[in-house]
Amino acid sequence: MVAQFVRLARREHLSYDEFGYVCQQARKKLKLKKPKREQRLPQLLTSKELGHFFQAVREGGRVEHEIMFKLLFFTAVRVGGLVKIEVNDVDLAACKIFVDQGKGSKDRYLLFPQTFSLVLRAHLAAHPKQMYLFETQRCGPYTVRRVQQIVQRYRETAGLSASVHPHLFRHQMLTFLTGQKLSDAQIQLLSGHASKKSLEVYQHLSLDAVDAAYQQAVRFIDL
């Protein structure tokens, strides 16, 4: 059945997202339920491994890739949100990025380091006709799958045996901010995590209240 399903998907030339949607609908139709996965702590890269990864990216010669992965790290944004960022969503002066329809269909803002503002300004100046912050050579936005593939390519080039994927950068940054003594409430706001219970605890905070602590924490990061 699986082989037939795969052949059907290939015949219809389904994209990665379309294939995921079809699988989701098939599970609903057949009333299949996913088994609960054991909650595991993310396996993080060491500082040395992270350095090797970004060295491989720099040596690859695609400046856009380096900027994209550093933004993934600095903002702790999910890759699904990253690929949807449009040029008009970026506020260079305030060092903020508006994310439309993030996880849970909630709009929110991301923070990025003040020192990274010049990098993004140069990137935008070099691509004045782009609608999205990052676009492929075909003049369209990246897909989540494409970003995953690019990360794997650089992981192999860097010779890393550890698992590396776009979401790992999110874990790396949130773990780093925790180590820099940002409060749970501050990290909650930066990460975009939300639940009914947490909203009762964190509702008194605004992004402006977190900005200074975030900028202080990231100013010495050297990727």
Side-chain angles (χ1 to χ4, degrees), residues 92-124:
L92 294 173
C95 297
K96 295 178 182 178
I97 297 175
F98 176 72
V99 177
D100 182 21
Q101 297 296 310
K103 187 176 181 181
S105 299
K106 302 183 305 300
D107 298 341
R108 70 187 188 94
Y109 283 91
L110 307 169
L111 297 178
F112 59 85
Q114 294 170 349
T115 53
F116 201 62
S117 181
L118 289 177
V119 175
L120 288 180
R121 187 182 300 276
H123 170 71
L124 293 174

Side-chain angles (χ1 to χ4, degrees), residues 9 24 28 35 42 55 72 88 95 137 181 190 193 214 223:
Q24 182 185 55
K28 289 182 179 179
Q55 181 180 349
L72 265 177
N88 292 333
C95 297
Q137 294 177 336
K181 308 302 181 183
L190 290 168
H193 285 135
Y214 169 81
L223 295 177

Side-chain angles (χ1 to χ4, degrees), residues 161-181:
S161 59
S163 175
V164 184
H165 47 86
H167 206 67
L168 176 66
F169 297 112
R170 175 176 168 83
H171 292 313
Q172 294 273 163
M173 173 51 77
L174 296 180
T175 302
F176 169 78
L177 293 175
T178 301
Q180 293 298 306
K181 308 302 181 183

Side-chain angles (χ1 to χ4, degrees), residues 76-172:
V77 66
R78 297 178 177 87
V79 66
L82 175 84
V83 298
K84 295 178 182 177
I85 296 175
E86 297 183 7
V87 172
N88 292 333
D89 296 330
V90 182
D91 187 338
L92 294 173
C95 297
K96 295 178 182 178
I97 297 175
F98 176 72
V99 177
D100 182 21
Q101 297 296 310
K103 187 176 181 181
S105 299
K106 302 183 305 300
D107 298 341
R108 70 187 188 94
Y109 283 91
L110 307 169
L111 297 178
F112 59 85
Q114 294 170 349
T115 53
F116 201 62
S117 181
L118 289 177
V119 175
L120 288 180
R121 187 182 300 276
H123 170 71
L124 293 174
H127 304 87
K129 296 183 179 180
Q130 287 190 177
M131 176 181 175
Y132 291 90
L133 181 57
F134 300 109
E135 293 188 2
T136 67
Q137 294 177 336
R138 296 183 178 181
C139 302
Y142 284 86
T143 63
V144 170
R145 181 57 179 164
R146 183 58 185 148
V147 176
Q148 292 170 338
Q149 291 172 338
I150 295 172
V151 168
Q152 287 306 309
R153 191 178 74 209
Y154 286 124
R155 180 194 67 81
E156 294 172 359
T157 302
L160 300 178
S161 59
S163 175
V164 184
H165 47 86
H167 206 67
L168 176 66
F169 297 112
R170 175 176 168 83
H171 292 313
Q172 294 273 163

